[in-house]
Short mmCIF file of all heavy atoms in Angstrom, two decimals:
data_model
loop_
_atom_site.label_atom_id
_atom_site.label_comp_id
_atom_site.label_asym_id
_atom_site.label_seq_id
_atom_site.Cartn_x
_atom_site.Cartn_y
_atom_site.Cartn_z
N MET A 1 -8.15 13.81 -11.06
CA MET A 1 -9.03 12.79 -11.21
C MET A 1 -8.45 11.52 -10.61
O MET A 1 -7.29 11.15 -10.92
CB MET A 1 -9.42 12.57 -12.74
CG MET A 1 -10.24 11.34 -12.94
SD MET A 1 -11.97 11.40 -13.28
CE MET A 1 -12.32 12.91 -14.05
N LEU A 2 -9.16 10.89 -9.80
CA LEU A 2 -8.75 9.68 -9.14
C LEU A 2 -9.23 8.43 -10.02
O LEU A 2 -10.25 8.40 -10.53
CB LEU A 2 -9.28 9.65 -7.66
CG LEU A 2 -8.90 10.62 -6.70
CD1 LEU A 2 -9.72 10.48 -5.47
CD2 LEU A 2 -7.45 10.65 -6.42
N ASP A 3 -8.39 7.43 -10.00
CA ASP A 3 -8.72 6.26 -10.66
C ASP A 3 -9.41 5.37 -9.69
O ASP A 3 -8.77 4.90 -8.67
CB ASP A 3 -7.42 5.44 -11.16
CG ASP A 3 -7.75 4.19 -11.87
OD1 ASP A 3 -8.84 3.79 -11.88
OD2 ASP A 3 -6.76 3.62 -12.39
N ALA A 4 -10.71 5.21 -9.73
CA ALA A 4 -11.50 4.45 -8.78
C ALA A 4 -11.08 2.96 -8.55
O ALA A 4 -11.17 2.45 -7.35
CB ALA A 4 -12.94 4.48 -9.26
N ALA A 5 -10.57 2.43 -9.61
CA ALA A 5 -10.01 0.95 -9.48
C ALA A 5 -8.89 0.92 -8.55
O ALA A 5 -8.57 -0.20 -8.05
CB ALA A 5 -9.73 0.50 -10.77
N THR A 6 -8.09 2.00 -8.19
CA THR A 6 -6.95 1.94 -7.46
C THR A 6 -7.14 2.32 -6.02
O THR A 6 -6.34 2.20 -5.08
CB THR A 6 -5.79 2.74 -7.97
OG1 THR A 6 -6.23 4.10 -8.02
CG2 THR A 6 -5.47 2.38 -9.44
N LEU A 7 -8.35 2.80 -5.73
CA LEU A 7 -8.67 3.30 -4.32
C LEU A 7 -9.05 2.01 -3.40
O LEU A 7 -9.69 1.13 -3.86
CB LEU A 7 -9.89 4.20 -4.42
CG LEU A 7 -9.76 5.50 -5.13
CD1 LEU A 7 -10.86 6.24 -5.17
CD2 LEU A 7 -8.51 6.27 -4.61
N PRO A 8 -8.61 2.12 -2.20
CA PRO A 8 -8.92 0.93 -1.20
C PRO A 8 -10.35 0.93 -0.87
O PRO A 8 -10.93 2.00 -0.58
CB PRO A 8 -7.99 1.25 -0.05
CG PRO A 8 -7.70 2.72 -0.12
CD PRO A 8 -7.73 3.04 -1.60
N ARG A 9 -10.85 -0.24 -0.90
CA ARG A 9 -12.25 -0.45 -0.52
C ARG A 9 -12.43 -0.79 0.93
O ARG A 9 -13.52 -0.61 1.50
CB ARG A 9 -12.95 -1.44 -1.36
CG ARG A 9 -12.90 -1.10 -2.89
CD ARG A 9 -14.02 -1.74 -3.55
NE ARG A 9 -14.02 -1.35 -5.01
CZ ARG A 9 -14.59 -0.39 -5.56
NH1 ARG A 9 -15.27 0.39 -4.84
NH2 ARG A 9 -14.50 -0.12 -6.84
N ASP A 10 -11.40 -1.15 1.57
CA ASP A 10 -11.46 -1.52 2.95
C ASP A 10 -10.96 -0.51 3.94
O ASP A 10 -11.00 -0.79 5.11
CB ASP A 10 -10.64 -2.85 3.20
CG ASP A 10 -9.19 -2.69 2.84
OD1 ASP A 10 -8.85 -1.85 1.92
OD2 ASP A 10 -8.40 -3.38 3.34
N LEU A 11 -10.67 0.61 3.41
CA LEU A 11 -10.11 1.75 4.27
C LEU A 11 -11.07 2.94 4.21
O LEU A 11 -11.63 3.23 3.12
CB LEU A 11 -8.79 2.22 3.87
CG LEU A 11 -7.72 1.18 4.16
CD1 LEU A 11 -6.40 1.76 3.55
CD2 LEU A 11 -7.51 0.70 5.57
N ASP A 12 -11.42 3.76 5.22
CA ASP A 12 -12.16 4.91 5.12
C ASP A 12 -11.24 6.18 5.09
O ASP A 12 -11.78 7.26 4.71
CB ASP A 12 -13.06 5.05 6.41
CG ASP A 12 -14.27 4.01 6.21
OD1 ASP A 12 -14.73 3.93 5.07
OD2 ASP A 12 -14.71 3.39 7.18
N VAL A 13 -10.05 6.07 5.55
CA VAL A 13 -9.10 7.22 5.59
C VAL A 13 -7.73 6.68 5.10
O VAL A 13 -7.27 5.65 5.59
CB VAL A 13 -8.99 7.84 7.03
CG1 VAL A 13 -7.96 8.96 6.96
CG2 VAL A 13 -10.30 8.23 7.51
N PHE A 14 -7.10 7.43 4.14
CA PHE A 14 -5.82 7.00 3.62
C PHE A 14 -5.19 8.15 2.86
O PHE A 14 -5.74 9.24 2.68
CB PHE A 14 -6.08 5.76 2.48
CG PHE A 14 -7.00 6.14 1.50
CD1 PHE A 14 -6.55 6.60 0.23
CD2 PHE A 14 -8.30 5.91 1.66
CE1 PHE A 14 -7.36 6.87 -0.79
CE2 PHE A 14 -9.32 6.23 0.61
CZ PHE A 14 -8.79 6.64 -0.54
N ARG A 15 -3.93 8.00 2.52
CA ARG A 15 -3.19 8.93 1.85
C ARG A 15 -2.79 8.32 0.49
O ARG A 15 -2.60 7.18 0.49
CB ARG A 15 -1.91 9.34 2.63
CG ARG A 15 -2.16 10.10 3.96
CD ARG A 15 -0.91 10.30 4.69
NE ARG A 15 -1.27 10.93 5.92
CZ ARG A 15 -0.48 11.92 6.51
NH1 ARG A 15 0.46 12.32 5.96
NH2 ARG A 15 -0.94 12.41 7.66
N LEU A 16 -2.51 9.27 -0.46
CA LEU A 16 -1.95 8.87 -1.69
C LEU A 16 -0.50 8.78 -1.69
O LEU A 16 0.24 9.46 -0.99
CB LEU A 16 -2.38 9.73 -2.89
CG LEU A 16 -3.83 9.99 -3.04
CD1 LEU A 16 -4.15 11.00 -4.19
CD2 LEU A 16 -4.45 8.59 -3.44
N GLU A 17 0.13 7.68 -2.32
CA GLU A 17 1.48 7.55 -2.27
C GLU A 17 2.33 8.67 -2.67
O GLU A 17 3.37 9.12 -2.12
CB GLU A 17 1.86 6.35 -3.13
CG GLU A 17 3.33 5.74 -2.89
CD GLU A 17 3.53 4.54 -3.61
OE1 GLU A 17 2.80 3.50 -3.42
OE2 GLU A 17 4.41 4.39 -4.48
N ASP A 18 1.98 9.36 -3.78
CA ASP A 18 2.57 10.51 -4.30
C ASP A 18 2.35 11.85 -3.58
O ASP A 18 2.93 12.85 -3.93
CB ASP A 18 2.39 10.69 -5.80
CG ASP A 18 2.90 9.53 -6.55
OD1 ASP A 18 3.86 8.86 -6.11
OD2 ASP A 18 2.48 9.27 -7.69
N PHE A 19 1.25 11.95 -2.84
CA PHE A 19 0.81 13.07 -2.27
C PHE A 19 0.58 12.97 -0.67
O PHE A 19 -0.60 12.93 -0.21
CB PHE A 19 -0.42 13.67 -2.78
CG PHE A 19 -0.22 13.97 -4.34
CD1 PHE A 19 -0.56 13.15 -5.36
CD2 PHE A 19 0.35 15.28 -4.62
CE1 PHE A 19 -0.39 13.43 -6.58
CE2 PHE A 19 0.50 15.57 -6.02
CZ PHE A 19 0.18 14.73 -6.94
N SER A 20 1.72 12.73 0.02
CA SER A 20 1.45 12.26 1.45
C SER A 20 0.84 13.35 2.31
O SER A 20 0.54 13.04 3.53
CB SER A 20 2.84 11.81 1.94
OG SER A 20 3.76 12.79 1.95
N THR A 21 0.90 14.57 1.87
CA THR A 21 0.27 15.61 2.70
C THR A 21 -1.23 15.77 2.52
O THR A 21 -1.99 16.52 3.33
CB THR A 21 0.90 16.95 2.44
OG1 THR A 21 0.67 17.32 0.96
CG2 THR A 21 2.43 17.03 2.75
N VAL A 22 -1.81 15.03 1.58
CA VAL A 22 -3.31 14.99 1.30
C VAL A 22 -3.90 13.81 1.88
O VAL A 22 -3.40 12.68 1.80
CB VAL A 22 -3.54 15.06 -0.16
CG1 VAL A 22 -4.98 14.90 -0.49
CG2 VAL A 22 -2.98 16.30 -0.85
N ILE A 23 -4.83 13.96 2.79
CA ILE A 23 -5.56 12.88 3.40
C ILE A 23 -6.92 12.70 2.66
O ILE A 23 -7.68 13.68 2.51
CB ILE A 23 -5.86 13.12 4.82
CG1 ILE A 23 -4.45 13.33 5.59
CG2 ILE A 23 -6.60 12.01 5.41
CD1 ILE A 23 -4.51 13.71 6.99
N LEU A 24 -7.21 11.51 2.16
CA LEU A 24 -8.46 11.22 1.58
C LEU A 24 -9.35 10.32 2.45
O LEU A 24 -8.77 9.65 3.20
CB LEU A 24 -8.24 10.50 0.20
CG LEU A 24 -7.33 11.24 -0.85
CD1 LEU A 24 -7.07 10.40 -1.95
CD2 LEU A 24 -7.92 12.54 -1.24
N CYS A 25 -10.61 10.40 2.25
CA CYS A 25 -11.44 9.67 3.00
C CYS A 25 -12.72 9.15 2.22
O CYS A 25 -12.94 9.82 1.15
CB CYS A 25 -12.06 10.32 4.22
SG CYS A 25 -13.14 11.76 3.95
N SER A 26 -13.43 8.29 2.62
CA SER A 26 -14.57 7.74 2.07
C SER A 26 -15.85 8.73 2.26
O SER A 26 -15.66 9.51 3.21
CB SER A 26 -14.97 6.34 2.44
OG SER A 26 -15.29 6.42 3.86
N GLU A 27 -16.73 8.53 1.56
CA GLU A 27 -17.96 9.43 1.77
C GLU A 27 -18.62 9.05 3.10
O GLU A 27 -19.18 9.86 3.77
CB GLU A 27 -19.03 9.21 0.62
CG GLU A 27 -20.13 10.17 0.80
CD GLU A 27 -21.03 10.11 -0.49
OE1 GLU A 27 -20.63 9.40 -1.47
OE2 GLU A 27 -22.08 10.63 -0.45
N ARG A 28 -18.49 7.73 3.49
CA ARG A 28 -19.00 7.35 4.77
C ARG A 28 -18.29 7.91 5.94
O ARG A 28 -18.90 8.43 6.75
CB ARG A 28 -18.82 5.73 4.80
CG ARG A 28 -19.20 5.15 6.13
CD ARG A 28 -19.15 3.63 6.17
NE ARG A 28 -17.80 3.22 5.88
CZ ARG A 28 -17.35 1.92 5.74
NH1 ARG A 28 -18.36 0.98 5.90
NH2 ARG A 28 -16.12 1.63 5.56
N PHE A 29 -16.98 8.05 5.83
CA PHE A 29 -16.21 8.77 6.79
C PHE A 29 -16.64 10.19 7.07
O PHE A 29 -16.82 10.76 8.05
CB PHE A 29 -14.73 8.61 6.57
CG PHE A 29 -13.88 9.19 7.57
CD1 PHE A 29 -13.44 8.43 8.78
CD2 PHE A 29 -13.39 10.50 7.52
CE1 PHE A 29 -12.67 8.98 9.66
CE2 PHE A 29 -12.55 11.10 8.57
CZ PHE A 29 -12.22 10.37 9.68
N ALA A 30 -16.73 10.96 5.90
CA ALA A 30 -17.06 12.29 5.83
C ALA A 30 -18.45 12.49 6.48
O ALA A 30 -18.67 13.39 7.24
CB ALA A 30 -17.08 12.92 4.42
N ASP A 31 -19.50 11.63 6.01
CA ASP A 31 -20.81 11.62 6.59
C ASP A 31 -20.72 11.51 8.13
O ASP A 31 -21.44 12.33 8.85
CB ASP A 31 -21.63 10.69 6.08
CG ASP A 31 -22.02 10.93 4.51
OD1 ASP A 31 -21.81 12.07 4.15
OD2 ASP A 31 -22.50 10.01 3.90
N ALA A 32 -19.86 10.66 8.56
CA ALA A 32 -19.78 10.45 10.11
C ALA A 32 -19.28 11.71 10.81
O ALA A 32 -19.82 12.08 11.91
CB ALA A 32 -18.97 9.17 10.37
N CYS A 33 -18.27 12.22 10.24
CA CYS A 33 -17.70 13.49 10.76
C CYS A 33 -18.75 14.49 10.76
O CYS A 33 -18.84 15.38 11.77
CB CYS A 33 -16.44 13.91 9.97
SG CYS A 33 -15.02 12.83 10.24
N LEU A 34 -19.53 14.71 9.69
CA LEU A 34 -20.54 15.79 9.69
C LEU A 34 -21.60 15.52 10.72
O LEU A 34 -22.10 16.44 11.36
CB LEU A 34 -21.07 15.87 8.24
CG LEU A 34 -20.06 16.42 7.20
CD1 LEU A 34 -20.63 16.24 5.79
CD2 LEU A 34 -19.56 17.79 7.49
N ARG A 35 -22.00 14.33 10.80
CA ARG A 35 -23.04 13.95 11.79
C ARG A 35 -22.60 14.23 13.23
O ARG A 35 -23.35 14.58 14.12
CB ARG A 35 -23.43 12.32 11.74
CG ARG A 35 -24.68 12.12 10.98
CD ARG A 35 -24.99 10.57 11.17
NE ARG A 35 -24.06 9.64 11.36
CZ ARG A 35 -23.40 9.01 10.34
NH1 ARG A 35 -23.80 9.26 9.03
NH2 ARG A 35 -22.51 8.08 10.62
N LEU A 36 -21.22 13.90 13.42
CA LEU A 36 -20.79 14.12 14.82
C LEU A 36 -20.31 15.71 15.02
O LEU A 36 -20.00 16.02 16.16
CB LEU A 36 -19.59 13.41 15.02
CG LEU A 36 -19.79 11.84 15.05
CD1 LEU A 36 -18.36 11.14 15.08
CD2 LEU A 36 -20.54 11.46 16.34
N GLU A 37 -20.63 16.47 14.04
CA GLU A 37 -20.29 17.95 14.15
C GLU A 37 -18.78 18.18 14.49
O GLU A 37 -18.58 19.02 15.36
CB GLU A 37 -21.34 18.60 14.99
CG GLU A 37 -22.74 18.45 14.41
CD GLU A 37 -23.78 19.16 15.40
OE1 GLU A 37 -23.42 19.78 16.25
OE2 GLU A 37 -24.96 18.96 14.98
N LEU A 38 -17.94 17.48 13.98
CA LEU A 38 -16.42 17.76 14.32
C LEU A 38 -15.94 19.03 13.78
O LEU A 38 -16.33 19.42 12.73
CB LEU A 38 -15.63 16.54 13.82
CG LEU A 38 -15.90 15.16 14.30
CD1 LEU A 38 -15.06 14.20 13.72
CD2 LEU A 38 -15.90 15.14 15.81
N ASP A 39 -15.15 19.71 14.62
CA ASP A 39 -14.57 20.95 14.20
C ASP A 39 -13.23 20.77 13.58
O ASP A 39 -12.45 19.76 13.91
CB ASP A 39 -14.40 21.88 15.45
CG ASP A 39 -15.67 22.37 15.92
OD1 ASP A 39 -16.69 22.44 15.21
OD2 ASP A 39 -15.83 22.61 17.22
N GLY A 40 -12.75 21.69 12.80
CA GLY A 40 -11.41 21.69 12.22
C GLY A 40 -11.17 20.75 11.03
O GLY A 40 -9.97 20.57 10.74
N VAL A 41 -12.19 20.24 10.45
CA VAL A 41 -12.00 19.46 9.26
C VAL A 41 -12.94 20.07 8.25
O VAL A 41 -13.98 20.58 8.46
CB VAL A 41 -12.31 17.92 9.48
CG1 VAL A 41 -11.39 17.34 10.30
CG2 VAL A 41 -13.69 17.75 9.97
N SER A 42 -12.47 19.95 6.92
CA SER A 42 -13.34 20.31 5.92
C SER A 42 -13.22 19.17 4.76
O SER A 42 -12.22 18.57 4.72
CB SER A 42 -12.87 21.58 5.26
OG SER A 42 -11.52 21.57 4.78
N PHE A 43 -14.23 19.02 3.94
CA PHE A 43 -14.19 18.03 2.95
C PHE A 43 -14.52 18.73 1.67
O PHE A 43 -15.35 19.55 1.48
CB PHE A 43 -15.37 16.96 3.29
CG PHE A 43 -15.06 16.38 4.65
CD1 PHE A 43 -15.72 16.78 5.75
CD2 PHE A 43 -14.31 15.26 4.80
CE1 PHE A 43 -15.51 16.21 7.04
CE2 PHE A 43 -13.96 14.64 5.89
CZ PHE A 43 -14.66 15.10 7.11
N HIS A 44 -13.78 18.16 0.65
CA HIS A 44 -13.97 18.57 -0.77
C HIS A 44 -14.17 17.32 -1.63
O HIS A 44 -13.12 16.49 -1.66
CB HIS A 44 -12.79 19.45 -1.12
CG HIS A 44 -12.56 20.58 -0.24
ND1 HIS A 44 -13.21 21.75 -0.24
CD2 HIS A 44 -11.64 20.68 0.78
CE1 HIS A 44 -12.72 22.46 0.72
NE2 HIS A 44 -11.80 22.01 1.32
N PRO A 45 -15.17 17.15 -2.40
CA PRO A 45 -15.30 15.96 -3.22
C PRO A 45 -14.28 16.02 -4.34
O PRO A 45 -13.98 17.01 -4.85
CB PRO A 45 -16.79 16.10 -3.71
CG PRO A 45 -17.25 17.39 -3.43
CD PRO A 45 -16.36 18.02 -2.43
N LEU A 46 -13.78 14.83 -4.60
CA LEU A 46 -12.86 14.68 -5.77
C LEU A 46 -13.56 13.66 -6.76
O LEU A 46 -14.11 12.71 -6.35
CB LEU A 46 -11.54 14.02 -5.29
CG LEU A 46 -10.62 14.98 -4.33
CD1 LEU A 46 -9.57 14.11 -3.82
CD2 LEU A 46 -10.12 16.07 -4.97
N PRO A 47 -13.41 14.03 -8.03
CA PRO A 47 -13.82 13.04 -9.09
C PRO A 47 -13.11 11.84 -9.11
O PRO A 47 -11.85 11.86 -8.94
CB PRO A 47 -13.85 13.89 -10.37
CG PRO A 47 -12.76 14.88 -10.04
CD PRO A 47 -12.78 15.14 -8.61
N ALA A 48 -13.78 10.72 -9.38
CA ALA A 48 -13.20 9.44 -9.50
C ALA A 48 -13.76 8.83 -10.74
O ALA A 48 -14.97 8.87 -11.08
CB ALA A 48 -13.40 8.53 -8.35
N LYS A 49 -12.93 8.13 -11.52
CA LYS A 49 -13.34 7.53 -12.69
C LYS A 49 -12.90 6.05 -12.77
O LYS A 49 -11.90 5.71 -12.39
CB LYS A 49 -12.77 8.31 -13.94
CG LYS A 49 -13.01 7.74 -15.29
CD LYS A 49 -12.45 8.60 -16.32
CE LYS A 49 -12.43 7.91 -17.63
NZ LYS A 49 -11.65 8.67 -18.54
#
């Protein structure tokens, strides 16, 4: 579970400090990738509280 208060609001793509191999993105970024039909990426929603 992600703490929504600690997530950057001015970035669409970022990494967590403790998990540098995981790339997180905003829903806006994921929607843009899906609209552009980009290959090689997958998105999995994460809960934020």
Side-chain angles (χ1 to χ4, degrees):
M1 170 101 36
L2 299 172
D3 182 354
T6 64
L7 299 176
R9 299 206 181 268
D10 58 334
L11 299 175
D12 286 320
V13 180
F14 56 94
R15 293 179 186 215
L16 298 177
E17 192 171 301
D18 294 338
F19 299 97
S20 61
T21 59
V22 176
I23 299 172
L24 300 177
C25 70
S26 66
E27 188 172 354
R28 177 175 59 180
F29 184 86
D31 289 343
C33 290
L34 294 173
R35 261 194 326 274
L36 293 170
E37 299 179 4
L38 299 179
D39 291 334
V41 294
S42 61
F43 299 98
H44 308 280
L46 295 173
K49 177 179 163 184

